[in-house]
Amino acid sequence: SEDGARVTYGALEGKRHVVAEHELATGRSRKLFDIGLNDGAMDMVRDPDRPRWVIVWADGADDALVKVRTRDDAGEESEAIEVRPGGRNITAILTEPVVARGYVFLTAGTIHRVHLDTGETKKLERPGLVAFPWGDGVGYVAGGRDFEIGRLDPETLELQPRITRPEDTDWKIMGAPRFDATGARCALVVARGESRSGLDALTWAVLVFEKYQLLTTVELQGERSMGPVAWLDAVTIGATVMRPGDEEDRFSLLETNFSGSFRREIPLLRAPVNERMRADGGVVYQLKQPLFLQPSPSPDGKTVAFTTAKMPPLPDERSGLLLLRRDQENRVDRVAFDVAEK
C-alpha cells in the first residue's frame, strides 16, 4: 500500500491461486478474493489511474491461454478477457504486467497491449521486446544484440529509444530494468558469456545509467543466475539471485549502491531442486528461476516482500510471503499461505 502498512500479494490455497493481504503492524493476513476456475500461475498489478487491481493468469486447462480480469476496491469484477499471445502461457506471467491508460501490457515473445474494457489486443511487430513500468507509463527493453531501452507510447505504440549498449561491451540484458523514483537513474541486470555452456560460463553485473549515460558497472563473481531488479531506496538497488545446488537452489537478495562501493547478499530461501523441470529445461530453467521471486520494497525501503506463489511447488514449511526486514539483523519472516477468509 502507499503508506506501507499492508502488502497485497498472490498466495496459494492448496494448488489454487488467491489474492491475500497482510498487515505489517498486526501480523494478520486474510484472503481478499479467489482468481477463478482452472487458474495456473498468476500475477497482479495496481492500476495507477483507477482504484482497481488487474489480475493476469495462465489458464490451468489450456496452456496457450492467458486470462485478464480487473477487480475494483468495491469488489466489482470484470469478465475475463482471453488472450492467446503464442507459445506457452507461462511466458506471459514471468515478466510483470504493466498497466497504463486503460491497457495492460503483457510480454510473451514481444509486447502485447490489451484494452481492459474492450479486450482488444494488439501485438507489436518487433519481436523480443519486454515491457516494464516507467513511472506511471510504460518502458520497453530489447535484449540480446539490440540492447535498447526506451519509452513506449501507450496509445500510438511508438518506440522512443533512450539507452543503447555502451561502447566496447558485450553485455546482454537479463530481465527488465528499473528507473528510480526521480527517473534519472536506471538499473539493470546483464550477463556475458555462452549460457549454453552452463551458468559457470556467465559473468554477471548490474549496470547503472544516469541521464541515459552509463554511470557504474558492478561486476559480480560466482556461479549464479539473476533476475528482477528494484530500487530499495534512493541509492540502493536490489536484485534476486539464484545459486544452484545438487539438492537445493539458494535464493538471496543482492544489495548494492549505485556507485558499487557497497554490496552484500542476504539469504532468502532454500528451494528443493525440481529434478523434472531442471532436466527438461536445463540452463534455461535455471536462468528463469529468479523471475519467480520478484522483490517488492515498501515505500520507505525498510521491508522487501516476496511471494513464492509463482515458484515450482515448495514444501509447506518453505512457501509463503517472505518479508525481509532491512535492519541490522536483516531478518526474513515467512508468512504461511493458510490465510483466513475475508
Side-chain angles (χ1 to χ4, degrees):
S1 61
E2 292 184 0
D3 61 3
R6 300 179 307 282
V7 179
T8 305
Y9 60 102
L12 290 172
E13 191 174 67
K15 295 183 178 181
R16 291 174 50 83
H17 286 78
V18 301
V19 175
E21 182 181 79
H22 179 76
E23 294 183 358
L24 294 175
T26 65
R28 291 196 296 264
S29 297
R30 59 172 182 154
K31 182 173 78 172
L32 295 181
F33 54 90
D34 296 296
I35 299 300
L37 297 176
N38 295 323
D39 59 300
M42 58 81 66
D43 208 340
M44 54 187 286
V45 65
R46 189 73 174 173
D47 190 331
D49 301 315
R50 295 171 59 177
R52 63 180 180 179
W53 291 99
V54 178
I55 303 106
V56 179
W57 73 97
D59 188 84
D62 183 345
D63 68 2
L65 181 63
V66 176
K67 293 185 177 181
V68 179
R69 169 176 288 156
T70 63
R71 182 185 173 99
D72 65 25
D73 291 348
E76 284 292 321
E77 292 186 351
S78 68
E79 292 293 323
I81 300 168
E82 297 189 349
V83 183
R84 293 185 179 275
R88 295 193 62 195
N89 54 16
I90 187 63
T91 61
I93 310 300
L94 290 177
T95 302
E96 179 186 359
V98 183
V99 176
R101 306 277 186 87
Y103 300 100
V104 61
F105 295 81
L106 309 177
T107 296
T110 191
I111 297 173
H112 303 252
R113 185 187 70 179
V114 182
H115 196 289
L116 290 170
D117 292 330
T118 68
E120 178 188 11
T121 301
K122 185 172 180 60
K123 176 183 176 181
L124 271 68
E125 294 182 0
R126 181 173 169 180
L129 297 179
V130 176
F132 69 92
W134 188 338
D136 289 339
V138 187
Y140 75 92
V141 56
R145 294 180 179 177
D146 292 335
F147 199 116
E148 181 179 295
I149 300 170
R151 283 191 178 275
L152 172 65
D153 187 300
E155 301 290 349
T156 68
L157 298 181
E158 177 190 4
L159 301 178
Q160 303 163 358
R162 296 291 187 269
I163 296 173
T164 56
R165 185 199 309 274
E167 294 183 3
D168 301 322
T169 68
D170 55 356
W171 295 114
K172 294 182 180 180
I173 299 175
M174 308 295 284
R178 285 294 185 272
F179 281 81
D180 68 2
T182 70
R185 296 193 184 106
C186 173
L188 67 153
V189 170
V190 295
R192 64 186 176 203
E194 182 50 68
S195 62
R196 286 177 294 184
S197 301
L199 291 183
D200 57 355
L202 295 176
T203 300
W204 294 80
V206 176
L207 303 188
V208 181
F209 292 82
E210 186 170 51
K211 297 180 179 179
Y212 310 138
Q213 301 299 315
L214 181 63
L215 176 68
T216 310
T217 299
V218 183
E219 195 163 320
L220 305 164
Q221 303 297 321
E223 185 180 12
R224 70 180 69 208
S225 61
M226 288 176 58
V229 64
W231 285 88
L232 307 183
D233 53 42
V235 299
T236 312
I237 301 151
T240 303
V241 174
M242 189 282 291
R243 294 185 183 275
D246 293 334
E247 298 182 357
E248 293 182 324
D249 294 328
R250 294 170 293 134
F251 290 81
S252 60
L253 181 71
L254 168 74
E255 290 188 5
T256 178
N257 57 5
F258 66 81
S259 69
S261 62
F262 163 82
R263 69 187 73 171
R264 66 182 177 186
E265 279 191 35
I266 302 172
L268 297 172
L269 172 70
R270 289 179 177 266
V273 170
N274 188 307
E275 297 288 356
R276 180 184 61 81
M277 296 183 72
R278 179 179 283 189
D280 292 346
V283 178
V284 174
Y285 164 71
Q286 292 179 317
L287 289 171
K288 292 185 181 301
Q289 281 280 73
L291 300 177
F292 297 129
L293 209 58
Q294 170 76 46
S296 298
S298 60
D300 62 7
K302 294 181 179 180
T303 302
V304 185
F306 307 79
T307 175
T308 67
K310 290 170 72 173
M311 298 184 68
L314 292 171
D316 289 345
E317 67 273 13
R318 302 193 190 186
S319 65
L321 174 68
L322 306 180
L323 298 172
L324 167 61
R325 316 290 186 169
R326 296 183 64 229
D327 52 26
Q328 291 183 342
E329 297 181 2
N330 291 316
R331 186 179 77 253
V332 178
D333 296 327
R334 186 184 68 88
V335 180
F337 279 150
D338 55 349
V339 292
E341 292 286 344
K342 182 175 179 180

